[in-house]
Amino acid sequence: MRDRAVIRPIKRAVEDQLLDLPGVTAVDIGEKHRAGRRTGQQVIVVSVVRKKPLGQLGPGTRIPGDVFGIPTDVVEEEPVLQHIHCGRNEPLAPRQRREERAAAVRGGSGIAPYRTVHLAPPAVDQAGQYRRVGTLGALVTGAAPTASMMGLTTFDVACLDDAWAVGDRMVDPEGGRVHGDLARAALSGRVDAAAVAIAPGLETSSTIDGIGPVTGHGTAYPGERIRKNGFGTGVTHGVVTSVDATVRIDHGEALGVRVLREQIRIVATDLRFCGPGDAGAAVLDPGGRVLGLVVAGACGGAVGFASPVADVLAELDVELCTEPQRVRV
């Protein structure tokens, strides 16, 4: 049986051609299923919006049964961004409120740009100005000598569209408290992330609500059990099934469809791993090490995708905060 190390270069060589086929949303490495059962065979997994009978597929649109001798498996799956929209003056629904709100800015809290964006159906029920809400995943610091305190979230949440600028105001979506200003952002082939400079005078804590202190960062591996606390769905658990996911994600009219490569794929160990409002949530291993930031989800939240944290830190040029005590900036 071929392992991932053998399949990986072949998958990378053909993924762009596969993504160009109609309806393809992702290319990954995973276990082949037959009649709903696991076979133990590692293959190239191709995700599509909707599977169709072979007779309905036109010339040149069929996904090959194998690629250079590596079998393929076709599954239905459409990754979507995990933010949520609320009206300019609209209170958040009860399922998104926290029963107890921590005074300190910490991982797992909500974050939203003060700037709104105009949306219309089918994106929302009624046309109007909306805020985009996500999760502040973890605290980081910039390079010395300033070493300013910042919070991580996604580009999707903090930047909204192509009109973003450093200095854009970020707020707490529940109470309207100013969190700080957008400091850095990256939307590249491997990273969807942003860093928000925490406003002076706010108390901060490098812990994750409901999980505990951040102890460092690490590299995810298939089979690893993880957890996250997102603003939308709270603390949930999952298992890493791949670190090779290449996904096509629609970032809206202004930014278009973007491809993120070598993302972490996470499958819920219960019914749901992520949902709207969880974008930016930190994914942690059992030892409290951050492995990635939630970007997208699929299959009703049973599957999540996260940008690897090492790439996030490198592209934003920041370092993860690991001290558990509270500090005032």
Side-chain angles (χ1 to χ4, degrees):
M1 182 177 67
R2 296 182 176 88
D3 62 17
R4 287 175 174 268
V6 175
I7 300 174
R8 188 169 288 125
I10 297 174
K11 176 256 183 188
R12 288 173 176 168
V14 302
E15 63 187 7
D16 285 339
Q17 294 95 310
L18 292 172
L19 286 170
D20 284 341
L21 295 175
V24 173
T25 60
V27 181
D28 199 357
I29 300 172
E31 187 175 352
K32 187 176 181 68
H33 287 69
R34 186 175 286 114
R37 295 184 177 182
R38 300 167 60 177
T39 66
Q41 183 182 25
Q42 293 292 306
V43 299
I44 295 175
V45 179
V46 183
S47 301
V48 297
V49 175
R50 186 173 295 104
K51 295 174 71 171
K52 298 180 180 179
L54 294 179
Q56 295 183 14
L57 298 175
T61 65
R62 180 179 176 182
I63 296 166
D66 70 88
V67 179
F68 297 115
I70 305 298
T72 61
D73 195 14
V74 181
V75 300
E76 286 189 354
E77 182 180 76
E78 186 175 10
V80 294
L81 295 169
Q82 295 295 282
H83 59 246
I84 193 169
H85 288 113
C86 65
R88 183 197 297 270
N89 300 311
E90 176 187 350
L92 290 173
R95 68 182 178 86
Q96 292 144 357
R97 290 188 180 275
R98 292 290 183 266
E99 293 181 3
E100 295 181 6
R101 301 191 55 212
V105 177
R106 62 177 68 187
S109 59
I111 191 167
Y114 181 77
R115 178 170 70 93
T116 59
V117 62
H118 184 270
L119 296 174
V124 290
D125 292 335
Q126 295 182 337
Q129 293 295 122
Y130 288 83
R131 283 207 174 96
R132 182 169 293 177
V133 179
T135 301
L136 189 152
L139 295 183
V140 295
T141 59
T146 57
S148 58
M149 189 72 72
M150 292 179 274
L152 289 179
T153 189
T154 63
F155 180 101
D156 158 58
V157 169
C159 299
L160 285 172
D161 51 29
D162 58 355
W164 68 278
V166 169
D168 284 349
R169 184 62 49 88
M170 301 289 148
V171 299
D172 176 348
E174 289 182 288
R177 176 178 66 176
V178 174
H179 271 326
D181 299 330
L182 179 61
R184 309 174 187 189
L187 182 58
S188 67
R190 287 174 62 90
V191 167
D192 181 337
V196 175
I198 305 301
L202 288 183
E203 190 177 16
T204 64
S205 173
S206 54
T207 59
I208 309 295
D209 261 348
I211 293 179
V214 171
T215 62
H217 65 88
T219 302
Y221 60 86
E224 187 170 21
R225 292 192 173 273
I226 56 82
R227 52 191 172 163
K228 73 98 181 76
N229 186 356
F231 184 70
T233 62
V235 177
T236 58
H237 299 78
V239 60
V240 175
T241 60
S242 177
V243 293
D244 296 286
T246 293
V247 295
R248 286 170 51 94
I249 305 175
D250 188 354
H251 279 74
E253 183 177 350
L255 298 172
V257 175
R258 300 297 184 100
V259 175
L260 282 172
R261 303 180 190 275
E262 297 176 21
Q263 302 294 284
I264 304 167
R265 178 190 292 270
I266 300 158
V267 174
T269 52
D270 200 350
L271 296 177
R272 195 180 196 188
F273 173 70
C274 61
D278 288 342
V283 175
L284 295 93
D285 70 9
R289 298 188 306 164
V290 178
L291 306 179
L293 291 184
V294 173
V295 174
C299 303
V303 176
F305 298 90
S307 291
V309 72
D311 296 329
V312 170
L313 299 177
E315 291 212 24
L316 296 179
D317 191 23
V318 294
E319 297 180 357
L320 198 64
C321 293
T322 58
E323 293 297 329
Q325 72 269 17
R326 294 183 177 185
V327 297
R328 190 175 293 277
V329 298

